[in-house]
């Protein structure tokens, strides 16, 4: 198996890329009109440096508007659903750093005055020694729904169905979902 990065270029051309790629694992909000199966839900939290004395036990919308940001998938068509929702509320982040993977975000926030939106499961797995802390969002962010997407030509392919089933079971085992025999949601 090969696990290429989900670059904005790949996501924007998903319908063409998925002809030669088995699956795209990415949250809702980036890809439309393709078959998919939801894998799990997560909530968004704000990540700040533990050493950031300008931020107490919670953030304000005003702080989100003035702090420098680390963002993922930032571009005209590539941004997280929570970031789009934030913009709809009138919060326009001052983007200082852009990265294409959430795994690099904690290191880009640590020791700085930056802020980022990350998934709760990711934040919970960050070692304390890294020097970041997770805070609730000061706005009601829609949950992240992680899904796997594929090209419609693979809908009825038995090998592809088997692969999708393996992914569902692996994710369920990894995050402790019971009852994986019933798909979370498939389109």
């Amino acid at each position: 198996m090969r696990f290429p990065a989900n670059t904005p270029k790949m996501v924007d051309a998903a319908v063409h890329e998925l002809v030669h790629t088995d699956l795209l694992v990415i949250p809702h909000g980036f890809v439309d009109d393709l078959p998919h199966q939801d894998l799990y839900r997560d909530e968004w939290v704000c990540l700040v440096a533990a050493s950031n004395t300008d931020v107490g036990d919670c953030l304000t919308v005003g702080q989100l508007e003035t702090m420098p940001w680390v963002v993922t998938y930032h571009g005209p068509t590539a941004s997280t659903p929570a970031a789009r929702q934030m913009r709809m509320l009138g919060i326009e982040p001052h983007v200082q750093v852009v990265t294409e993977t959430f795994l690099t975000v904690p290191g880009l926030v640590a020791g700085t005055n930056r802020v980022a939106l990350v998934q709760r499961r990711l934040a919970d797995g960050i070692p304390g020694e890294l020097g970041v802390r997770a805070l609730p969002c000061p706005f009601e962010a829609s949950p992240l729904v992680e899904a796997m997407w594929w090209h419609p030509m693979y809908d009825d392919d038995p090998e592809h169905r088997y692969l999708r089933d393996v992914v569902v079971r692996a994710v369920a085992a990894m995050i402790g979902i019971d009852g994986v025999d019933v798909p979370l949601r498939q389109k």
Side-chain angles (χ1 to χ4, degrees):
M1 295 189 85
R2 220 174 112 219
F3 297 96
N6 290 343
T7 63
K9 181 180 175 184
M10 180 180 187
V11 173
D12 286 345
V15 71
H16 302 294
E17 293 289 333
L18 287 170
V19 169
H20 304 289
T21 303
D22 290 323
L23 296 170
L24 177 64
V25 179
I26 196 162
H28 282 263
F30 293 94
V31 179
D32 292 320
D33 300 327
L34 285 172
H36 67 277
Q37 183 166 352
D38 294 349
L39 298 171
Y40 63 88
R41 290 183 173 276
D42 205 346
E43 68 176 342
W44 293 101
V45 296
C46 293
L47 202 64
V48 297
S51 61
N52 188 337
T53 57
D54 293 335
V55 177
D57 292 335
C58 61
L59 282 161
T60 66
V61 169
Q63 286 173 310
L64 293 183
E65 292 173 330
T66 60
M67 293 175 73
W69 278 78
V70 175
V71 297
T72 54
Y73 298 99
H74 183 70
T77 60
S79 69
T80 65
R84 285 194 298 274
Q85 183 180 4
M86 193 170 59
R87 285 190 190 103
M88 288 184 346
L89 294 171
I91 305 166
E92 188 59 45
H94 169 66
V95 177
Q96 191 174 65
V97 179
V98 178
T99 181
E100 291 181 0
T101 173
F102 284 104
L103 296 176
T104 60
V105 170
L108 295 168
V109 168
T112 72
N113 62 343
R114 297 179 189 132
V115 64
L117 280 173
V118 297
Q119 306 90 334
R120 166 64 68 193
R121 281 187 175 92
L122 173 62
D124 288 348
I126 299 170
E129 301 82 43
L130 191 54
V132 295
R133 57 193 171 116
L135 300 172
C137 287
F139 63 93
E140 194 167 324
S142 297
L144 171 139
V145 179
E146 191 74 55
M148 64 177 160
W149 307 78
W150 60 90
H151 195 280
M153 71 183 191
Y154 294 122
D155 275 343
D156 297 321
D157 182 287
E159 292 169 342
H160 202 270
R161 276 198 311 257
Y162 172 78
L163 173 64
R164 296 189 311 255
D165 183 62
V166 167
V167 170
V168 167
R169 290 177 187 282
V171 169
M174 189 171 63
I175 63 173
I177 296 174
D178 292 326
V180 297
D181 292 338
V182 178
L184 297 175
R185 183 173 142 219
Q186 186 169 342
K187 177 181 174 188

